[in-house]
Amino acid sequence: MRIVIAGGHGQIARRLERLLSAGGHEVAGIIRKREQGDDLREAGAEPVLMDLESASVEEVAAVLHGADVAVFAAGAGPGSGVERKDTVDRGAAVLFADAAERVGVRRFIVVSTMGADARHEGDDVFDAYLRAKGAADDYVRGKSGIDWTILRPGTLTNDAGKGLVRLEAATGRGSVPRDDVAAVLAEMTETPATAGLTLELVSGSIPVTVAVKDVAGN
C-alpha cells in the first residue's frame, strides 16, 4: 500500500514510518522543514515538503493522489499558542480530510487525543488544544466520503513499547508508549473494518494485533 502521513516528522509518525516501511509499504511523510527530510529517509519514508497551514486543498490532494491510506498525525506541538492549535490541530486536519475525499482516498486515520471535545471549557492553551482536536474529530466523522478511524491515546510516554494495550471506545485515563501507539496505527492501516470507530488507547494486557482485531467491525 501507499500511505501518506501528515505530520511526518512527529515522534509517533517516525515510529509508524519505520513499521510501515519494514512491512513493505510505500510511505510518504509531509514535513514543514527541508532539514527534516533525512530523518524520514532514515525511517524509510519519502519526505514531502509542504506547509499544511498555508497549502490549498488542491496541493494536498496532489500529494494524496494514488494513496491507499491517509494518516493525520500532525500537531502544533508544545510551545505553540491558541492560534496554532486551531490552524494545525483543527484546520490542517480538515484540509487533509477534504483533500483525501477529493481524490478518493477512502481510508483515513486520525491521531487524536483522549479528552478531545469541541465543547470543552477553559481558557488555557491545553483547553484550546482539546477543543481543536474535538472539532477536527467531529468534522472527519461527518464526512461520508472517507472511511475514518479516530484513535485517542492517553498520556504519551517514551517508554519502550510492550505491545500490550487496551483499545476500546472508552478505556478511562491512562498512559501509553508512543511505540505502542505507532504499532496500533500500523495495524489499523491493514484493518479497514475499524472504520467508523472512535477508540481510546492506553497500556493494557492485550497484544496489539488481537486488540485491533477485537474492535474491528464493532
Side-chain angles (χ1 to χ4, degrees):
M1 293 189 295
R2 176 171 172 80
I3 300 159
V4 178
I5 303 171
H9 195 256
Q11 294 188 65
I12 290 172
R14 279 180 286 160
R15 288 167 167 83
L16 177 59
E17 287 155 4
R18 290 189 185 94
L19 292 174
L20 293 174
S21 61
H25 298 298
E26 179 185 349
V27 188
I30 297 174
I31 55 175
R32 293 180 64 238
K33 300 176 181 177
R34 190 176 302 277
E35 58 267 28
Q36 297 170 337
D38 286 345
D39 289 337
L40 267 69
R41 294 184 190 96
E42 184 272 330
E46 165 202 351
V48 177
L49 190 63
M50 177 175 289
D51 186 348
L52 293 175
E53 288 181 272
S54 59
S56 68
V57 67
E58 292 81 11
E59 290 169 331
V60 181
V63 173
L64 284 168
H65 183 75
D68 299 289
V69 184
V71 179
F72 185 81
S80 56
V82 170
E83 182 177 345
R84 294 200 68 231
K85 299 304 183 192
D86 184 68
T87 57
V88 179
D89 292 284
R90 184 199 61 79
V94 166
L95 174 68
F96 205 55
D98 286 346
E101 187 176 49
R102 180 168 296 201
V103 292
V105 180
R106 290 207 62 94
R107 191 73 180 105
F108 193 91
I109 302 171
V110 177
V111 183
S112 184
T113 187
M114 191 175 290
D117 183 353
R119 292 158 296 282
H120 179 83
E121 297 182 356
D123 299 324
D124 292 339
V125 172
F126 188 71
D127 297 320
Y129 169 71
L130 293 177
R131 284 193 293 273
K133 295 298 283 186
D137 293 352
D138 289 347
Y139 185 84
V140 169
R141 286 187 293 220
K143 296 192 81 63
S144 60
I146 55 177
D147 298 327
W148 53 265
T149 303
I150 294 171
L151 183 64
R152 292 178 164 178
T155 302
L156 299 171
T157 75
N158 286 325
D159 297 340
K162 296 181 179 178
L164 299 172
V165 299
R166 183 178 177 189
L167 180 68
E168 299 171 11
T171 61
R173 295 287 177 182
S175 62
V176 61
R178 289 178 172 88
D179 287 350
D180 290 336
V181 178
V184 169
L185 290 168
E187 193 70 25
M188 284 178 166
T189 64
E190 301 191 47
T191 314
T194 55
L197 300 177
T198 301
L199 298 165
E200 294 184 348
L201 173 67
V202 295
S203 292
S205 59
I206 302 174
V208 166
T209 54
V210 176
V212 174
K213 285 182 174 62
D214 280 352
V215 298
N218 291 336

